[in-house]
Amino acid sequence: MDIRYSANQRDFRRYTTEEVRGEFLIQDLYRPDTVVAVYSHVDRMVTLGIMPVNEVVPVDKGIDVWANFGTKFFLERRELGMFNIGGPGVVTAGDERFEMGYKDCLYITRGTENITFESADAANPAKFYAVSAPARKSCETKMITAAEAKQQPLGADETANKRVIRQFIHPDVLETCQLLMGMTSLDSGSVWNTMPAHTHERRMEIYTYFEIPEGQVVFHMMGEPSETRHLVMNNEQAVISPSWSIHAGCGTSNYTFIWAMGGENQAFTDMDTIKTTELK
C-alpha cells in the first residue's frame, strides 16, 4: 500500500511539478488481478483500483490489514464506496452478491467481511474504483444505479461548464457514516468543472477522471486560491485534494469524474467559494 502523508499549504508553495505529482497524483490504478491502494493521511482516506481479469480478487489482496489499520479485516472500522468504470463485474460482500454494470455504484457498510471482485468477461474486465473512510457506525450495504442517484444540472454552454452532478452515496439517497461519493458528467463542448472554485475546510476530496478521449487531458487546478498550481491528468487517474486546496479542472475535451469526500460533515453545500477573478 502506498502511504501519502499530509502536506501543508506553506510547503506546497515551493513544490516542483515532480513533487506535486508525487504527493497528490494517483496513477496506474488498474492492473490485472491486483488491488492498487493509496492510503492518505488526509482524513485517513484510502483510494483503491481493482481490475479482476482471471481471478476472484479479495479487497485486501497484497494489503497488510493489521499493519495499516490495526484491524482483523479491511472494513472492521471502515466503510467503502465504489463505482464500476469497466466491463460487467460482480462484487461479493459477505453473503450478498451484486452484479455491477458500467457506472453502477455500491456502498458497503462497516463490519462487512469477505469482500471479493470478479469480472464477467476477462476480455472486457471490470474496473472498480473505490474509496474507503473510517466509520463509527454500521449502515446498510446497497447498490445504487444512475437512475436512483439524485441529479443536479449545473452550468451553461456560454461558460463551457454545462454538467450534471449525480449524487450516489449521499444523505438524500442512503445513510452512511461520513463517506460521500458521486459522479459529474460534462456535456459535449463543456470543459470546466467546479467553477467557481471553492475549498471546504472541514472535508477533503478525491477526484478520479475518466472518459477522457484518447489524446486529450484535463488540467486539474489545486493549491490555495492565491497560490494555484496544476496537474496534467490522463484518463483514469485520481488526485488527492486537502481541505485547504481548490479542486477544479479544465479539459481539452469534455470528460467525467467521480468525487469522494470525507471529514467533519456530509453537507454537500458546506464550501467556501472563491470568486474566479480572485484566483491567482
Side-chain angles (χ1 to χ4, degrees):
M1 179 182 287
D2 183 7
I3 308 294
R4 308 283 180 93
Y5 290 93
S6 300
N8 69 69
Q9 60 269 51
R10 294 177 300 278
D11 291 343
F12 177 77
R13 298 170 189 171
R14 299 189 293 270
Y15 280 14
T16 64
T17 297
E18 183 180 358
E19 288 172 323
V20 173
R21 293 174 67 86
E23 289 285 348
F24 303 102
L25 180 64
I26 302 174
Q27 306 181 74
D28 301 321
L29 273 167
Y30 305 103
R31 304 172 192 167
D33 299 317
T34 301
V35 176
V36 177
V38 176
Y39 184 114
S40 172
H41 277 270
V42 182
D43 286 305
R44 299 191 177 274
M45 301 280 274
V46 180
T47 303
L48 305 105
I50 305 162
M51 187 175 73
V53 178
N54 298 308
E55 300 178 11
V56 176
V57 179
V59 70
D60 58 354
K61 182 178 180 179
I63 298 173
D64 188 332
V65 174
W66 177 256
N68 291 123
F69 309 117
T71 58
K72 296 178 181 177
F73 57 95
F74 191 85
L75 293 191
E76 184 176 340
R77 294 199 300 263
R78 287 184 159 270
E79 56 188 350
L80 182 71
M82 72 190 71
F83 284 87
N84 179 13
I85 61 170
V90 176
V91 178
T92 301
D95 296 327
E96 297 184 89
R97 180 179 171 89
F98 300 92
E99 296 184 3
M100 295 184 65
Y102 187 60
K103 294 185 179 179
D104 283 343
C105 177
L106 177 64
Y107 170 78
I108 302 178
T109 189
R110 165 184 162 149
T112 305
E113 298 188 60
N114 303 319
I115 301 166
T116 62
F117 303 83
E118 56 189 298
S119 292
D121 180 5
N124 182 28
K127 293 179 180 179
F128 297 101
Y129 172 77
V131 176
S132 174
R136 66 183 183 280
K137 66 178 182 180
S138 296
C139 301
E140 178 187 0
T141 295
K142 184 179 179 180
M143 192 171 88
I144 310 104
T145 65
E148 295 170 314
K150 181 179 178 181
Q151 299 193 28
Q152 184 179 2
L154 285 177
D157 289 332
E158 55 267 29
T159 48
N161 67 346
K162 191 174 182 180
R163 62 200 189 276
V164 177
I165 297 175
R166 292 178 173 86
Q167 299 166 333
F168 286 78
I169 299 176
H170 184 275
D172 291 342
V173 180
L174 80 164
E175 181 185 14
T176 67
C177 181
Q178 69 157 312
L179 186 64
L180 294 170
M181 291 186 76
M183 182 183 297
T184 299
S185 301
L186 278 72
D187 285 12
S188 179
S190 285
V191 294
W192 282 101
N193 78 69
T194 323
M195 282 291 182
H198 62 264
T199 60
H200 23 73
E201 184 62 31
R202 292 149 292 278
R203 292 177 293 167
M204 67 89 72
E205 192 157 5
I206 302 168
Y207 278 5
T208 190
Y209 291 95
F210 69 110
E211 293 188 329
I212 301 175
E214 186 176 355
Q216 307 301 315
V217 298
V218 172
F219 290 79
H220 179 83
M221 313 299 175
M222 65 178 303
E224 294 176 282
S226 61
E227 287 277 352
T228 61
R229 304 288 187 272
H230 73 268
L231 282 167
V232 179
M233 308 283 299
N234 291 310
N235 194 40
E236 297 181 352
Q237 293 182 340
V239 58
I240 299 166
S241 179
S243 61
W244 47 262
S245 176
I246 66 167
H247 35 283
C250 184
T252 55
S253 173
N254 63 316
Y255 51 89
T256 302
F257 66 98
I258 296 166
W259 42 268
M261 288 184 275
E264 294 292 342
N265 63 43
Q266 293 185 306
F268 187 79
T269 57
D270 179 11
M271 57 185 72
D272 304 309
T273 302
I274 300 102
K275 292 181 179 180
T276 304
T277 52
E278 293 178 355
L279 293 171
K280 296 180 180 178

